[in-house]
Amino acid sequence: MGVMYSSTRNADVKYRASEAILKGLADDGGLFVPDSIPALDVSMEDLAKMSYQETAYEVMKLFLSDFTEEELKSCIEKAYDSKFDTPEIAPLVSADGAYYLELFHGSTIAFKDMALSILPYLLTTSAKKNQVKNDIVILTATSGDTGKAALAGFADVPGTKIIVFYPKNGVSPIQEKQMVTQKGDNTFVVGIHGNFDQAQTGVKQMFNDKNLAKQLGDAGFQFSSANSINIGRLVPQVVYYVYAYAKMYANGVIAKDEKINVVVPTGNFGNILAAFYAKNMGVPIAKLICASNENKVLFDFFRTGTYDRNRDFILTSSPSMDILISSNLERLIYRIAGNDAAKNAELMKSLSTTGKYEITPEMKALLDDFYGNYTSEQETADVISDLYEKTGYIIDTHTAVAAGVYHKYKEETKDTQTKTVIASTASPFKFTRSVMDAIDKKYDSMSDFELVDELSRIGNVAVPQAIEDIRSAAVVHDTVCEVDEMPDVVKKFLGV
Ligand SMILES: *Cc1c(COP(=O)(O)O)cnc(C)c1O
């Protein structure tokens, strides 16, 4: 029968993959998890010869067990095509003793494209398989990158509408411009007076609002999610860890079965959870290094076993990681609680009522696969300028957080020999001002697009098409609202 999905808060009801993708979030507010993580059933020798698309099929077929071969291959082919500016899709670049896995070659130049270019196809295929007649309304909270990638993925997809909420003062100028210029009759973009956590909580509340669901249903709509709480986001992200390992093996960088470390700049804990799934599928990964910015709630959690979001929310130069409630951590908590939904539900209840929870020593012992640390704003800037001066390679602020944490990991553990992959989650062109400022303060006076051209010149890389596209694009979305007005805005957009 293959993998089935149940909620992290109730293990009794099982769903097929396509149903879990359609629902996004379980009815009880929990996240869908596979009943077991499947093992890869092809050898590394075979994987080493495969393209990105072929690897994607081998990984995703194991999780999406109710998709036919034809359905899944069609989704993969439509997603990973010339929207990506390199046929490798996710190239590995060696610099300063680490391997940067560049996940930003898709149409919106951040790693969210890796999953959001396929999610619309997975979702519309799922709708067809389940005879869904309603239009699907994708509700999305974004810290900056998910929003644009989801808009690009769903724009003009028949049978769907997409509504994106972003923190009005919490994203980079380029990120905002990318979103508010989005074309497509089915796209809606809203800035909220609040931070990402408030946007995410507001969206989750709408998912759990039975009255709203009824009103929508009567009008022929149903909600789904493009956030990484959707299993259809997580599964495609497992692929590039398998692919990266296989490419390193193919290129002779590592020997058969040699273990590697993976460093992931983390916000909602989705990307690093995908690496954890890859490890559990059999990819030889030693440490999963979880890198945070000054919103270091995960660092504190890995050190102390207490998750505590009661602290100031800090706006940093890596806005896509400005998060205090890491949704996907719930999937890990469920697992280290021995797949005990009741125990997990209790901890999540504590999180929503008191803002914190504490895991048991037995659970903490199961976190051995992870190492957590963080970088300050100054350290992040220094990592960018040091790497640039040493190698000429320019990384974005999020990737710099990961590189900085990798330096700290090596110093603390003396593990300097293990080959290490750093997930490079955004193009530096997306965070041009922070990146250029890190390299030299003299750039302060330039405009955003002057900085783009200067970055292209000093880094010797072409300006990505995604940036060219917004240079002169007209703003078409200008709605701004308070956090508690989010449901009204949704109803107004849908004419309900
Ligand atoms: C979303 C994002 C992250 C964080 O990824 P999570 O899966 O939320 O942990 C890191 N870097 C960039 C550039 C992002 O867009």
Side-chain angles (χ1 to χ4, degrees):
M1 191 169 55
V3 171
M4 295 289 284
Y5 292 82
S6 62
S7 163
T8 48
R9 302 184 194 176
N10 174 6
D12 296 341
V13 193
K14 304 257 186 228
Y15 294 92
R16 293 188 302 273
S18 65
E19 294 172 305
I21 290 172
L22 275 172
K23 289 179 83 69
L25 197 64
D27 293 332
D28 53 29
L31 276 63
F32 287 113
V33 276
D35 51 12
S36 67
I37 297 179
L40 283 168
D41 61 3
V42 271
S43 69
M44 205 40 78
E45 274 73 21
D46 288 340
L47 284 166
K49 295 187 208 105
M50 287 184 194
S51 66
Y52 191 87
Q53 294 81 351
E54 289 165 334
T55 311
Y57 178 71
E58 293 303 329
V59 173
M60 292 176 67
K61 72 172 191 202
L62 300 171
F63 285 99
L64 307 184
S65 41
D66 73 324
F67 280 60
T68 66
E69 176 171 350
E70 197 189 344
E71 284 167 344
L72 187 53
K73 284 189 170 164
S74 155
C75 292
I76 290 169
E77 264 152 43
K78 285 186 235 160
Y80 303 111
D81 62 5
S82 58
K83 286 192 284 302
F84 286 78
D85 67 10
T86 161
E88 290 175 281
I89 307 294
L92 271 170
V93 174
S94 157
D96 194 28
Y99 294 84
Y100 288 84
L101 178 62
E102 293 189 348
L103 302 172
F104 54 77
H105 288 271
S107 57
T108 75
I109 59 174
F111 96 94
K112 304 297 197 294
D113 289 325
M114 302 304 296
L116 282 164
S117 49
I118 193 164
L119 184 67
Y121 300 109
L122 298 178
L123 204 86
T124 46
T125 306
S126 298
K128 214 177 287 160
K129 292 174 82 65
N130 290 278
Q131 284 93 41
V132 170
K133 297 282 181 292
N134 287 338
D135 271 12
I136 293 170
V137 179
I138 306 295
L139 273 195
T140 296
T142 183
S143 54
D145 289 330
T146 290
K148 179 61 186 186
L151 287 161
F154 283 97
D156 293 325
V157 172
T160 72
K161 295 194 189 299
I162 169 147
I163 305 175
V164 169
F165 294 94
Y166 72 95
K168 179 70 189 150
N169 297 313
V171 300
S172 84
I174 302 267
Q175 284 180 314
E176 182 168 38
K177 181 113 200 245
Q178 278 189 306
M179 288 188 279
V180 297
T181 57
Q182 177 65 45
K183 298 198 182 89
D185 288 342
N186 65 338
T187 65
F188 304 91
V189 179
V190 188
I192 64 156
H193 289 134
N195 61 37
F196 171 73
D197 285 332
Q198 291 171 301
Q200 176 160 260
T201 303
V203 163
K204 280 190 184 174
Q205 277 166 358
M206 283 189 267
F207 274 114
N208 290 328
D209 185 335
K210 303 272 182 309
N211 273 332
L212 187 59
K214 165 115 191 23
Q215 280 176 295
L216 253 69
D218 291 344
F221 297 113
Q222 70 187 60
F223 284 143
S224 189
S225 168
N227 279 102
S228 54
I229 51 175
N230 194 318
I231 199 78
R233 269 281 297 275
L234 202 54
V235 169
Q237 292 179 184
V238 180
V239 173
Y240 45 77
Y241 293 108
V242 177
Y243 179 73
Y245 187 91
K247 284 296 155 279
M248 288 169 85
Y249 175 60
N251 297 338
V253 171
I254 46 175
K256 192 168 164 44
D257 300 331
E258 183 175 337
K259 287 193 172 172
I260 63 166
N261 293 325
V262 172
V263 193
V264 186
T266 306
N268 230 349
F269 209 76
N271 202 359
I272 193 164
L273 189 76
F276 177 71
Y277 278 19
K279 177 177 165 116
N280 284 281
M281 291 184 88
V283 178
I285 293 174
K287 282 287 178 194
L288 297 151
I289 300 173
C290 175
S292 302
N293 65 23
E294 289 182 359
N295 293 295
K296 59 183 183 56
V297 64
L298 287 166
F299 163 74
D300 293 336
F301 170 69
F302 283 118
R303 295 288 150 126
T304 65
T306 297
Y307 191 93
D308 186 356
R309 54 150 298 200
N310 298 307
R311 60 182 78 204
D312 288 336
F313 186 103
I314 302 167
L315 293 176
T316 72
S317 59
S318 45
S320 304
M321 298 158 64
D322 289 345
I323 294 175
L324 293 177
I325 306 173
S326 292
S327 288
N328 275 290
L329 187 65
E330 180 169 345
R331 290 186 162 117
L332 183 65
I333 298 295
Y334 171 79
R335 195 179 160 92
I336 60 173
N339 296 346
D340 183 338
K343 172 87 194 148
N344 174 67
E346 199 182 297
L347 295 175
M348 294 306 135
K349 180 139 188 269
S350 164
L351 180 64
S352 74
T353 51
T354 68
K356 59 180 181 178
Y357 60 80
E358 189 182 350
I359 60 172
T360 63
E362 296 74 41
M363 288 169 75
K364 190 161 186 290
L366 296 174
L367 293 177
D368 241 17
D369 288 342
F370 291 87
Y371 167 93
N373 214 324
Y374 74 102
T375 59
S376 68
E377 287 292 276
Q378 189 56 51
E379 286 166 338
T380 307
D382 291 345
V383 166
I384 294 173
S385 65
D386 290 349
L387 185 64
Y388 173 64
E389 261 148 46
K390 209 162 162 185
T391 68
Y393 185 53
I394 302 181
I395 56 176
D396 98 291
T397 44
H398 303 74
T399 309
V401 169
V405 164
Y406 178 49
H407 293 314
K408 292 188 180 184
Y409 166 82
K410 283 193 288 190
E411 225 159 79
E412 192 177 318
T413 64
K414 309 291 175 230
D415 172 18
T416 54
Q417 295 307 308
T418 309
K419 307 281 192 321
T420 296
V421 167
I422 296 177
S424 182
T425 50
S427 158
F429 285 95
K430 205 155 186 176
F431 301 95
T432 329
R433 184 162 300 279
S434 302
V435 167
M436 294 300 276
D437 227 35
I439 290 173
D440 198 325
K441 289 271 178 253
K442 75 177 182 210
Y443 294 122
D444 255 358
S445 59
M446 288 189 181
S447 74
D448 289 320
F449 284 99
E450 282 168 345
L451 285 174
V452 161
D453 294 325
E454 187 64 9
L455 171 57
S456 169
R457 195 184 64 76
I458 68 164
N460 200 21
V461 268
V463 176
Q465 190 57 40
I467 298 290
E468 294 299 357
D469 287 347
I470 58 166
R471 258 188 216 269
S472 56
V475 171
V476 288
H477 303 276
D478 58 3
T479 306
V480 177
C481 78
E482 302 302 323
V483 174
D484 59 7
E485 292 168 347
M486 290 167 63
D488 292 332
V489 168
V490 167
K491 284 194 262 183
K492 190 167 146 252
F493 282 153
L494 300 175
V496 173

